[in-house]
Amino acid sequence: MSNRRDFLKKSSLLGLAGIASNLISNNQLNAIESLGNQGLTDAAFTLPKLPYAFDALEPYIDKQTMEIHYTKHHQGYVDKLNAIKSTNIDYMSDDATKCTHVDKFTMAAIRNNLGGHFNHSLFWTLLKPNTKGEANKPVGKLGEAINSKFKSFDEFKTAFNDASLKLFGSGWCWLILQKGELKIVTTQNQDNPLMRLPEEGEDVFFAKKQPVLALDVWEHAYYLKHQNKRKDYIDAWWNIVNWTKCEELFLEKK
Ligand SMILES: [Fe+2]
């Protein structure tokens, strides 16, 4: 598919569409025309498949919120990224490593939409249905590391809740691994710990920070069900954290 697309794009770029018209179908010509109308922008970014149904996280996150969050908000970041015609970021692949190229000089549209795309792609995988209302706690080595760092899971939850509630406006709360140490950090807007943004009071570059757990604390993540009560949303969210996935991230980056 990408070869065909590349061919069409290159043909169009080289002004060969007319010459090629005897060799290719009307559909392909339409595709060339369509690419021209889009300023030859390549759709480098795609919306990842949601690993569960919109209503699968009920009653903790409602179906309507999930559907709008995924099909409008996340799709919006993807569409805006694909519509940007020039950037200082290499567009050849769609993966989280792109975020490590973002710094304070990166254009705002890239920083915001790339962050939005990456953060949500990760966030979906860090949620899982919990239809039986079972107790939900970290597992394995990550569970041990959390207990070791924060004394207990409950103390970790309290610290994470506090950080999420103190975050002014829109942003994300994270559990990250930095130089082998677990830390709770927050980022504004769609920034994330992978970006090369100086920490507060630090004008030098970052130390590598790897997300292990992420919480979207934008109002669009909870307003329909919880209105302004962010705490209720966070309390519900703890029930559907996918600790198995968190453990994978932890072990992968340790
Ligand atoms: Fe969001």
Side-chain angles (χ1 to χ4, degrees):
M1 183 65 187
S2 63
N3 287 341
R4 179 167 168 256
R5 185 184 178 88
D6 287 343
F7 165 72
L8 293 171
K9 184 173 172 181
K10 283 171 188 163
S11 298
S12 172
L13 276 170
L14 295 169
L16 296 178
I19 298 168
S21 63
N22 290 332
L23 305 174
I24 59 181
S25 70
N26 284 338
N27 283 346
Q28 287 169 319
L29 281 173
N30 289 340
I32 290 173
E33 199 175 353
S34 165
L35 284 168
N37 291 339
Q38 292 166 24
L40 297 175
T41 300
D42 212 346
F45 294 88
T46 55
L47 191 66
K49 191 173 181 333
L50 202 62
Y52 33 72
F54 292 133
D55 62 356
L57 304 177
E58 297 259 14
Y60 306 107
I61 297 181
D62 59 289
K63 179 184 177 184
Q64 190 182 18
T65 296
M66 278 303 297
E67 187 163 2
I68 293 173
H69 202 169
Y70 175 76
T71 65
K72 305 296 182 192
H73 292 280
H74 191 170
Q75 181 73 62
Y77 301 123
V78 170
D79 291 346
K80 285 172 195 155
L81 274 175
N82 285 328
I84 295 168
K85 294 181 179 63
S86 66
T87 174
N88 57 353
I89 291 181
D90 168 20
Y91 258 60
M92 294 304 288
S93 66
D94 178 0
D95 62 67
T97 60
K98 291 272 176 52
C99 292
T100 63
H101 296 280
V102 173
D103 60 24
K104 61 184 179 183
F105 302 111
T106 303
M107 60 191 279
I110 294 289
R111 179 170 163 178
N112 293 335
N113 292 299
L114 187 70
H117 177 40
F118 167 71
N119 295 348
H120 288 85
S121 298
L122 178 67
F123 185 55
W124 308 135
T125 69
L126 295 174
L127 302 174
K128 59 149 198 193
N130 185 358
T131 51
K132 293 178 182 167
E134 291 167 335
N136 194 31
K137 286 193 167 192
V139 293
K141 298 283 183 198
L142 176 59
E144 289 171 19
I146 285 175
N147 287 339
S148 168
K149 169 75 183 183
F150 299 95
K151 297 194 176 112
S152 70
F153 179 53
D154 284 343
E155 290 205 34
F156 162 67
K157 273 175 74 174
T158 300
F160 197 94
N161 286 351
D162 287 348
S164 302
L165 291 167
K166 278 182 190 156
L167 178 61
F168 183 75
S170 298
W172 291 75
C173 190
W174 310 84
L175 178 66
I176 60 161
L177 201 55
Q178 183 176 22
K179 295 178 183 170
E181 188 182 350
L182 287 174
K183 286 183 183 177
I184 296 168
V185 297
T186 56
T187 54
Q188 290 285 335
N189 302 315
Q190 295 294 358
D191 289 349
N192 67 52
L194 292 174
M195 294 177 177
R196 295 171 177 245
L197 302 170
E199 292 178 356
E200 198 173 341
E202 183 188 342
D203 202 21
V204 195
F205 266 99
F206 73 125
K208 206 169 182 182
K209 297 176 288 242
Q210 298 291 348
V212 172
L213 173 65
L215 173 62
D216 185 346
V217 285
W218 282 59
E219 282 191 342
H220 70 221
Y222 61 89
Y223 201 86
L224 286 176
K225 184 177 174 74
H226 299 290
Q227 292 78 51
N228 61 328
K229 298 184 282 286
R230 184 184 285 183
K231 177 69 164 58
D232 288 359
Y233 158 67
I234 299 169
D235 287 344
W237 167 77
W238 285 114
N239 291 285
I240 48 170
V241 172
N242 184 351
W243 287 112
T244 304
K245 179 66 181 174
C246 297
E247 164 89 346
E248 280 174 29
L249 294 176
F250 175 71
L251 295 177
E252 186 184 308
K253 304 299 180 186
K254 204 168 183 306

